[in-house]
Amino acid sequence: MRSDDVLVLYDGSCGLCDGIVQFLLAHDVKNRFYFAALDSETGVIYRKRYGISADVDSVVVIYKERAMIYDDAAIALVPHLPLPYRLGQVAKIVPKPIRYAAYKLIAKNRYRFFGEVTACKLPTAAERVKFLA
């Protein structure tokens, strides 16, 4: 990975997380996103390196030697997307307690809203290199 790449750790059984990964793959015009499941060997290594508790089952974004979780992780992805998605950066103006509460509400109910992934879409050969074991 290059220094300007973005590593996304995700819950491999969460339908919302899977949707996020698929969305990022489809909109990765700068070829910067890489992925690893939270409980994979790579995920565990990065969680330990950045002191991220095993209790965190949310998307984690690692960019420029900084790890972000929860609402901060979601917002950290936006600048790496093409327009019009990059306009989502306006979410930064929402006060942190409100962003966090909204994020936690969605995260708490994500299996109910988005289901559980029992089978993953097989990545193409080009996508396969984006997934770290």
Side-chain angles (χ1 to χ4, degrees):
M1 285 184 22
R2 302 167 306 222
S3 64
D4 62 341
D5 288 337
V6 180
L7 177 59
V8 180
L9 305 179
Y10 63 95
D11 177 350
S13 63
C14 168
L16 175 59
C17 295
D18 180 63
I20 291 168
V21 169
Q22 297 309 316
F23 177 84
L24 293 173
L25 280 169
H27 296 90
D28 189 9
V29 295
K30 294 183 180 178
N31 196 31
R32 287 189 175 162
F33 293 115
Y34 288 84
F35 307 92
L38 285 164
D39 59 355
S40 69
E41 185 176 330
T42 298
V44 170
I45 289 169
Y46 277 94
R47 286 165 64 133
K48 286 181 182 177
R49 180 181 298 170
Y50 290 96
I52 298 165
S53 168
D55 295 340
V56 172
D57 61 352
S58 170
V59 168
V60 175
V61 173
I62 299 171
Y63 178 64
K64 295 207 181 240
E65 296 300 319
R66 182 171 172 233
M68 292 147 282
I69 58 175
Y70 307 130
D71 55 308
D72 292 329
I75 289 174
L77 294 170
V78 176
H80 304 286
L81 295 169
L83 285 171
Y85 308 106
R86 199 173 320 134
L87 298 175
Q89 292 179 86
V90 299
K92 289 180 184 179
I93 66 171
V94 175
K96 172 81 172 150
I98 295 171
R99 280 194 340 239
Y100 180 76
Y103 182 90
K104 290 306 269 187
L105 177 68
I106 293 168
K108 180 180 177 182
N109 295 292
R110 71 183 191 254
Y111 286 107
R112 187 167 21 140
F113 294 159
F114 302 98
E116 191 167 346
V117 175
T118 55
C120 296
K121 172 190 164 281
L122 290 175
T124 64
E127 292 172 339
R128 219 172 289 135
V129 300
K130 311 287 274 165
F131 289 87
L132 309 178

